[in-house]
Amino acid sequence: MQYHPQLTHSHALQLNSPISYHLNTMINPSTNLISLSSYEHLAGKSDSRRIFFFQNVQFLELILALFVFIAIHSLRQKQHYGLPTWPLLGMLPSLLAGLRTDVYEWISNVLIRQNGTFYFKGPWFSDLNCVVTADPRNLEHILKTKFSIYPKGNYFHDQVHDLLGDGIFSTDDETWQRQRKTASIEFHSGKFRQWTTESLLKLVHSRLLPVLENSVNESVPIDLQDILLRMTFDNVCMLAFGVDPGCLCLVLPEIPFAKAFEDATEATMVRFVTPTCLWKIMRYVDLGSEKKLKRSIKGVDEFADEVIRTRKKEVSIQDDDKKRKSDLFTVFMGLKDEQGEPFSDKFLRDICVNFILAGRDTSSVALSWFFWLLDKNPRVEENILGEICKIVSEREEVKSSGEIENPLVFKPEEIKKMEYLQAALSEALRLYPSVPVDHKEVIQDDVFPDGTVLKKGTKVVYAIYAMGRMEAIWGKDCREYKPERWLRYGRYFSESAYKFTAFNGGPRLCLGKDFAYYQMRFAAASIIYRYRVKVVENHLVVPKLALTMYMKHGLKVNIFKREECELQKHLKIC
């Protein structure tokens, strides 16, 4: 290599730079052939990486842009449909979010935004699509005007069949009609009415009040929801099956059936918010809520089987009709099916479970919410106490001697006079109905009075809980607990069954409505006259997702003896 004196030391240093590298390459092409080849390879590799990087960035940008477009489009649909509607998933993400909080409030808020009706779109692979409504016009249309084309339907029957079988709550047509007709005859018989009055009096005074008194003496809180569930369970077993399980007593024994039944209703409700194909797979592999349902139904069946065996044995040795108990189960055991054969044990089991659901859960759950509302509204409690004392003070013996029998036992005619108490119970049911939602299915094309178009096979959910929170139905104070809204000139007036649907309406109107009111009034009056019920401070009260509206954590309360001066103030016999 020739020496170039023109190149200074600094120039020499620059020979190490990329420029000098290129210069050397040009000066000595033969000796730098390998280096040139390597550089070109590296440069090409760098360019490939750069191109690949930019291609990936463009792809990610496209994905992001597509996602943003879908999100904006789905969220814009909220204005029209009430909820965002996502491709493939439909409204499922919103439903899952609602289930994590209070699903009944979530449904109410959507219905309020949509003026009482909206169409829920489930995932494309599911059968969760349905119309949800809380419009009284639509309910009258479903439950009365077009009753014949709105049965419970196959979908509802499939969801609840494992628990309720072919009982009165899950069936349609002749099966339902036969059960309802038989039950209706018995419910309206004088013998049955007398038996209900006597059994309730025994339960309240021999079991319920002693348990509450024990809580006062021990100064320990109790779960009032559990106590009331025990009471109504004993009561329905006495009336419907002629069996006394002794669930309510001072020791509060563990009743496996009660736990099994609650778990079964909860697991059954989960099916309504789960795609059918999914819960059927879960049932097949015995996982999750389906495993819980299978286990709990086993406990329910064991109880029902024991009731059937016991009653059949008792009936077989009771030849004299006068000695036979007046209960629904005995009546059904004496009937024949379409082939003239006695009903199977499976069918009797279904009747048993359905009547337990009707008689146990509804009244006790309603009373639990009622006492929770009283604690928050002491003015209402004071008014109820005043009404009770006024009725008691009208007794002839009180007027003449100024003394009240001890213990005080309310008479049936006195219970019927408690109009304000009736209003307070109805108001509690308006806000917290025992059955918060119910289900139908239309079997031919139809149109709701509000203009909603329904195709044959469309599932319809009517949200009873949401109806109590709609200003369009109850006014701006709809969320307030105001028994006065049920009173006119001091007398109780019931609302339309399609505005107040706690007891259903139309041909499926609850057969036990009058008995349920009597049961609740008798129990509530007996408690309020003697005790003050105070909810434990900071006790969380939220509804549970189940077929009936249990309080998720029960109702923890402290019981206090009512002061004599409180009663004297209202009795006016000081």
Side-chain angles (χ1 to χ4, degrees):
M1 182 175 179
Q2 269 187 318
Y3 175 70
H4 295 275
Q6 296 88 351
L7 291 174
T8 63
H9 180 66
S10 60
H11 291 145
L13 289 175
Q14 291 176 6
L15 290 174
N16 292 323
S17 68
I19 296 174
S20 64
Y21 179 85
H22 284 289
L23 186 62
N24 275 330
T25 303
M26 288 187 291
I27 294 170
N28 298 295
S30 58
T31 57
N32 291 284
L33 188 60
I34 297 175
S35 297
L36 177 61
S37 174
S38 299
Y39 179 77
E40 287 176 344
H41 174 73
L42 289 172
K45 194 171 184 181
S46 176
D47 288 342
S48 297
R49 286 176 178 173
R50 196 174 293 115
I51 292 168
F52 180 75
F53 172 76
F54 283 119
Q55 285 177 339
N56 277 323
V57 168
Q58 290 175 343
F59 179 73
L60 290 173
E61 286 177 344
L62 286 172
I63 293 295
L64 181 61
L66 181 62
F67 176 78
V68 170
F69 172 78
I70 291 173
I72 292 173
H73 176 71
S74 298
L75 291 170
R76 285 181 65 183
Q77 287 187 312
K78 181 178 179 180
Q79 297 178 352
H80 182 68
Y81 295 108
L83 291 170
T85 306
W86 301 90
L88 303 181
L89 296 177
M91 297 176 178
L92 183 62
S94 297
L95 174 61
L96 294 176
L99 290 170
R100 295 185 63 179
T101 54
D102 183 342
V103 69
Y104 303 119
E105 281 292 330
W106 174 78
I107 292 173
S108 300
N109 292 331
V110 178
L111 286 166
I112 290 168
R113 290 198 304 267
Q114 295 302 108
N115 297 318
T117 303
F118 77 97
Y119 191 90
F120 181 85
K121 297 183 177 181
W124 67 271
F125 57 86
S126 76
D127 50 5
L128 294 181
N129 299 328
C130 63
V131 170
V132 185
T133 187
D135 189 322
R137 297 171 299 171
N138 295 345
L139 262 70
E140 184 171 7
H141 184 83
I142 296 167
L143 301 176
K144 179 185 174 184
T145 310
K146 292 289 189 73
F147 173 77
S148 60
I149 68 168
Y150 284 92
K152 286 287 187 177
N154 293 330
Y155 175 81
F156 182 85
H157 185 265
D158 288 345
Q159 307 297 90
V160 304
H161 184 262
D162 288 350
L163 175 62
L164 301 181
D166 295 317
I168 194 169
F169 284 122
S170 61
T171 54
D172 297 299
D173 304 324
E174 291 182 8
T175 305
W176 165 75
Q177 289 174 0
R178 170 172 289 202
Q179 292 182 58
R180 184 175 175 89
K181 181 179 179 181
T182 302
S184 179
I185 293 171
E186 188 65 17
F187 264 72
H188 292 95
S189 71
K191 191 176 180 181
F192 184 80
R193 289 176 180 271
Q194 182 183 355
W195 175 227
T196 60
T197 304
E198 293 173 355
S199 63
L200 183 59
L201 189 150
K202 175 185 175 182
L203 274 173
V204 169
H205 284 271
S206 300
R207 301 185 188 181
L208 175 62
L209 296 179
V211 168
L212 299 183
E213 187 68 22
N214 184 65
S215 174
V216 173
N217 296 335
E218 298 291 333
S219 298
V220 293
I222 57 172
D223 182 353
L224 187 59
Q225 178 176 254
D226 175 62
I227 299 299
L228 293 169
L229 280 166
R230 289 170 179 271
M231 181 191 75
T232 53
F233 177 53
D234 281 356
N235 203 16
V236 72
C237 286
M238 290 177 181
L239 298 176
F241 321 123
V243 173
D244 182 2
C247 186
L248 180 61
C249 60
L250 283 177
V251 295
L252 299 179
E254 182 72 24
I255 305 295
F257 167 80
K259 174 63 176 167
F261 192 76
E262 288 175 25
D263 288 345
T265 61
E266 182 180 2
T268 298
M269 190 63 182
V270 171
R271 286 182 171 181
F272 285 94
V273 293
T274 307
T276 300
C277 59
L278 182 57
W279 70 252
K280 285 189 174 181
I281 291 172
M282 291 169 62
R283 182 176 64 179
Y284 181 77
V285 298
D286 199 26
L287 284 177
S289 59
E290 288 299 312
K291 181 177 182 178
K292 179 180 179 181
L293 180 62
K294 182 179 179 181
R295 183 176 64 249
S296 57
I297 285 179
K298 183 179 179 181
V300 171
D301 289 345
E302 287 174 355
F303 173 81
D305 292 343
E306 178 63 26
V307 168
I308 294 168
R309 282 196 302 270
T310 301
R311 292 301 295 128
K312 280 190 171 183
K313 184 177 180 180
E314 290 178 352
V315 169
S316 66
I317 61 177
Q318 290 176 341
D319 297 327
D320 188 353
D321 288 341
K322 293 181 180 180
K323 293 181 180 179
R324 290 189 181 182
K325 297 177 181 177
S326 177
D327 62 79
L328 286 169
F329 211 58
T330 304
V331 174
F332 276 105
M333 283 194 294
L335 297 178
K336 308 289 184 181
D337 61 18
E338 291 83 355
Q339 285 74 40
E341 298 293 328
F343 284 125
S344 67
D345 285 357
K346 169 63 172 62
F347 186 70
L348 292 173
R349 174 265 180 209
D350 295 344
I351 291 171
C352 176
V353 173
N354 277 255
F355 277 104
I356 288 174
L357 178 66
R360 172 185 181 262
D361 288 14
T362 51
S363 296
S364 55
V365 167
L367 279 171
S368 299
W369 289 105
F370 167 73
F371 277 105
W372 177 72
L373 286 166
L374 280 195
D375 182 59
K376 296 166 69 71
N377 297 271
R379 174 191 64 83
V380 176
E381 182 181 9
E382 190 72 9
N383 289 342
I384 293 172
L385 182 62
E387 179 182 61
I388 293 171
C389 290
K390 181 177 180 296
I391 291 170
V392 171
S393 65
E394 292 172 355
R395 290 184 174 188
E396 289 300 324
E397 61 268 26
V398 175
K399 289 179 180 179
S400 59
S401 65
E403 294 182 1
I404 300 174
E405 66 173 312
N406 189 23
L408 175 66
V409 179
F410 294 112
K411 302 171 184 176
E413 58 270 22
E414 290 175 331
I415 294 296
K416 292 175 182 178
K417 290 179 182 178
M418 297 178 185
E419 308 258 1
Y420 190 87
L421 176 55
Q422 172 90 348
L425 288 165
S426 295
E427 181 71 346
L429 280 165
R430 180 184 72 84
L431 289 169
Y432 296 98
S434 298
V435 180
V437 295
D438 212 338
H439 183 279
K440 294 284 187 177
E441 185 175 319
V442 64
I443 58 175
Q444 66 183 49
D445 292 353
D446 194 29
V447 180
F448 275 166
D450 70 357
T452 304
V453 177
L454 297 97
K455 297 294 184 182
K456 178 182 177 181
T458 301
K459 294 182 287 293
V460 178
V461 173
Y462 51 103
I464 304 168
Y465 177 93
M467 293 180 73
R469 285 151 181 78
M470 300 195 71
E471 291 185 8
I473 301 175
W474 297 100
K476 292 187 179 297
D477 60 353
C478 59
R479 288 182 177 267
E480 297 179 28
Y481 181 59
K482 291 178 62 177
E484 289 75 15
R485 74 174 79 244
W486 297 85
L487 299 172
R488 294 185 180 89
Y489 308 107
R491 298 293 303 277
Y492 172 81
F493 279 85
S494 183
E495 292 285 354
S496 161
Y498 313 108
K499 178 180 177 181
F500 174 62
T501 321
F503 293 95
N504 221 315
R508 280 191 181 263
L509 180 70
C510 177
L511 285 171
K513 177 182 176 181
D514 292 340
F515 168 68
Y517 266 127
Y518 183 84
Q519 183 187 54
M520 289 189 291
R521 279 186 289 181
F522 189 86
S526 300
I527 294 172
I528 293 170
Y529 180 80
R530 294 168 173 82
Y531 306 104
R532 287 182 294 113
V533 179
K534 306 299 293 181
V535 179
V536 171
E537 189 175 357
N538 298 323
H539 175 64
L540 180 62
V541 175
V542 291
K544 185 179 185 178
L545 184 66
L547 293 178
T548 48
M549 203 169 192
Y550 296 113
M551 291 177 172
K552 189 174 184 178
H553 308 290
L555 184 62
K556 298 290 184 181
V557 300
N558 289 305
I559 307 294
F560 301 95
K561 196 83 171 180
R562 195 169 291 283
E563 299 292 338
E564 191 67 27
C565 60
E566 290 183 79
L567 299 176
Q568 291 177 346
K569 179 180 68 174
H570 293 290
L571 288 168
K572 299 176 183 179
I573 57 173
C574 300

